[in-house]
Amino acid sequence: MKKLKIIPLALLFLILFSSCTSGETEIKNRLIIEGVGVDFDEKSKDYEVTVQAFATSQKGGKDNAASNPVVNYTVKGKTLAEALGDLCDVTGKKTLYSQNLIIVIGNSIKGDEIIKSLDFFAREYTARADVYVAASTGKASDILNINENSSEIPAKIIEESISESYKNSISVDTELYNVINLYLEKTTDFTMPLLEVTKEENGKSSTVKVTGTYIYTKNGEKNHLSADETMFFLMLTDDAKKGNFSVVNDDMTVGLDIIKSSSKIKTYYENGIPEFDITIKCNVDMVEYDAGDFGSFKADDVEKVEAAAGKFIANGVQNLLYRQLKYHKSDIFRFGKRFMQSFPKAYKETEENWEDILPEIKFNIKVKTNLRRIGQETLRQH
């Protein structure tokens, strides 16, 4: 009888004094996650997860967090839950995901495997639905391990870079709930910011750069948008905040800043083929004119620049539509969603073979540009 009493008592002590299973919530007993990178090992068929967390411990009598605020851990498992569960054994702390800033998906994970790799975060009750999700051109671990010994938090820098890139129409700013919602739309391919490790000019250090947009494809084929293509994508989808581009006026290069952009799309259905009328309105400011003469820009040049800017945007949008719809058969524009809302009965008849219909879609593009300002007040022509 005594032995039977000892066993439950021992189990009780294990539960009470285990920091991973107890309800202890003191900050010192928590592993505060700042960033997560997910890679996949084809040989072992394991997920390899890089976790960036706050360094809250002290080493050698000094506050290690002051010089190096984060520490990276690498764990493996057949599932993310298994891999991340090992963090408790490694650190002796209970994980907290509510402060997580970024989830990076490595290039070893493609197609529907992306969704599987995000399933844990969609279900974990402490995880944020608005955490950024990005794709890497290489390993996700390389992204989070960049400048790991610096006094800054790499995950925070990456989050800020994505935010600024989105504001300047260089990349999208996909969050976890965006991925889930767009994936559930049967005809839509979601997008993510695309990250790349690049060498600095000195060749000794590296940095993480937002280079454009990653497009999810069911078959895992490579489909990326450059920074320029991303600008046209955001303008078409009424999501462009700012941005800049150049046009030529009478052999002179004109630098333009996007001040405001809006778009409207009307949906039609004739002869069994969807058709979309796309109207983009864009206000721009002239920020550079390489004539070398402040007085050389005349009143009639305004219309020429507006026409050149409109043509530049229209051509960019048209080329983007052609490449995505006809070549990649990828609907990142949510045309299928629009078609379903406008013509639900016809959509039901086409949703199963929507990819085959994409190359046949017709679109008409109209761009209206307004040159709002050509420089400072003292340089304006009267």
Side-chain angles (χ1 to χ4, degrees):
M1 291 294 292
K2 289 183 179 179
K3 289 183 179 179
L4 291 175
K5 290 180 180 179
I6 290 172
I7 293 174
L9 189 60
L11 289 174
L12 180 61
F13 272 98
L14 283 173
I15 292 171
L16 288 175
F17 292 99
S18 171
S19 63
C20 297
T21 56
S22 72
E24 181 63 69
T25 56
E26 287 188 31
I27 196 70
K28 65 180 182 179
N29 294 319
R30 287 291 190 132
L31 187 69
I32 303 173
I33 309 300
E34 288 290 298
V36 179
V38 185
D39 294 300
F40 190 75
D41 188 332
E42 280 292 341
K43 291 184 179 180
S44 65
K45 302 300 179 183
D46 286 338
Y47 284 105
E48 185 177 292
V49 186
T50 304
V51 178
Q52 189 166 109
F54 267 125
T56 56
S57 62
Q58 293 185 351
K59 296 181 180 180
K62 296 182 179 180
D63 189 355
N64 185 57
S67 59
N68 188 10
V70 295
V71 59
N72 288 351
Y73 301 94
T74 301
V75 287
K76 292 185 177 182
K78 296 300 178 185
T79 64
L80 259 73
E82 178 185 331
L84 293 169
D86 285 346
L87 281 172
C88 179
D89 298 332
V90 174
T91 66
K93 297 181 179 181
K94 189 174 182 180
T95 50
L96 181 66
Y97 295 95
S98 60
Q99 305 302 309
N100 188 25
L101 302 172
I102 183 76
I103 301 171
V104 183
I105 306 298
N107 69 344
S108 57
I109 301 176
K110 300 179 178 68
D112 286 345
E113 295 298 321
I114 293 176
I115 299 301
K116 293 179 182 179
S117 70
L118 293 172
D119 185 83
F120 170 83
F121 301 102
R123 300 178 190 276
E124 165 59 39
Y125 76 96
T126 66
R128 293 166 45 198
D130 61 348
V131 61
Y132 278 145
V133 182
S136 171
T137 58
K139 294 188 68 176
S141 59
D142 292 340
I143 298 293
L144 288 180
N145 284 323
I146 202 78
N147 299 330
E148 60 179 325
N149 295 319
S150 73
S151 59
E152 298 179 295
I153 302 173
K156 180 65 175 176
I157 296 173
I158 295 168
E159 181 203 38
E160 291 172 349
S161 296
I162 291 173
S163 179
E164 286 303 310
S165 295
Y166 166 64
K167 290 176 183 177
N168 289 285
S169 300
I170 295 172
S171 177
V172 295
D173 67 337
T174 306
E175 296 169 325
L176 180 60
Y177 74 90
N178 295 134
V179 173
I180 296 169
N181 290 339
L182 293 176
Y183 178 76
L184 292 174
E185 292 183 9
K186 194 169 184 178
T187 57
T188 302
D189 293 335
F190 62 83
T191 59
M192 296 185 288
L194 186 62
L195 307 178
E196 182 177 346
V197 176
T198 59
K199 286 284 186 182
E200 296 282 9
E201 291 183 2
N202 58 23
K204 297 180 180 180
S205 58
S206 300
T207 186
V208 175
K209 184 178 180 181
V210 183
T211 61
T213 300
Y214 176 98
I215 297 175
Y216 158 83
T217 53
K218 295 180 178 65
N219 56 16
E221 291 183 358
K222 180 179 178 180
N223 187 3
H224 298 170
L225 299 182
S226 66
D228 288 340
E229 288 178 313
T230 298
M231 182 184 71
F232 298 128
F233 170 60
L234 293 175
M235 293 180 81
L236 191 156
T237 55
D238 198 24
D239 207 19
K241 308 300 179 187
K242 295 189 295 184
N244 58 76
F245 60 93
S246 300
V247 296
V248 176
N249 175 50
D250 291 339
D251 297 326
M252 302 298 175
T253 302
V254 183
L256 300 172
D257 266 359
I258 298 172
I259 303 305
K260 183 179 179 181
S261 176
S262 63
S263 68
K264 290 185 178 180
I265 301 177
K266 293 184 178 179
T267 308
Y268 303 93
Y269 185 57
E270 296 181 4
N271 301 320
I273 302 296
E275 185 171 344
F276 299 91
D277 280 358
I278 302 165
T279 301
I280 297 174
K281 295 181 179 180
C282 187
N283 290 340
V284 296
D285 283 356
M286 188 174 77
V287 293
E288 187 173 356
Y289 188 55
D290 70 356
D293 178 3
F294 290 123
S296 64
F297 194 84
K298 306 300 181 182
D300 59 349
D301 288 321
V302 172
E303 292 184 3
K304 293 180 182 179
V305 170
E306 289 177 339
K311 184 177 180 180
F312 175 81
I313 295 170
N315 287 343
V317 171
Q318 181 172 333
N319 291 336
L320 175 64
L321 287 167
Y322 182 88
R323 186 164 81 86
Q324 292 304 317
L325 299 180
K326 298 184 182 297
Y327 180 75
H328 289 289
K329 294 185 177 181
S330 176
D331 185 3
I332 57 176
F333 315 102
R334 303 183 77 189
F335 284 157
K337 176 78 170 180
R338 292 178 178 276
F339 187 48
M340 179 191 69
Q341 292 174 334
S342 300
F343 301 94
K345 185 177 180 180
Y347 172 81
K348 281 291 183 183
E349 298 172 355
T350 59
E351 63 176 333
E352 294 302 327
N353 61 330
W354 183 247
E355 286 187 5
D356 296 328
I357 293 175
L358 289 177
E360 306 301 321
I361 285 179
K362 297 179 181 178
F363 47 85
N364 307 298
I365 305 167
K366 183 184 293 185
V367 179
K368 300 177 181 178
T369 57
N370 173 47
L371 182 57
R372 192 189 68 159
R373 184 176 297 167
I374 65 170
Q376 298 182 38
E377 184 71 29
T378 54
L379 302 180
R380 291 183 183 175
Q381 300 300 309
H382 298 284

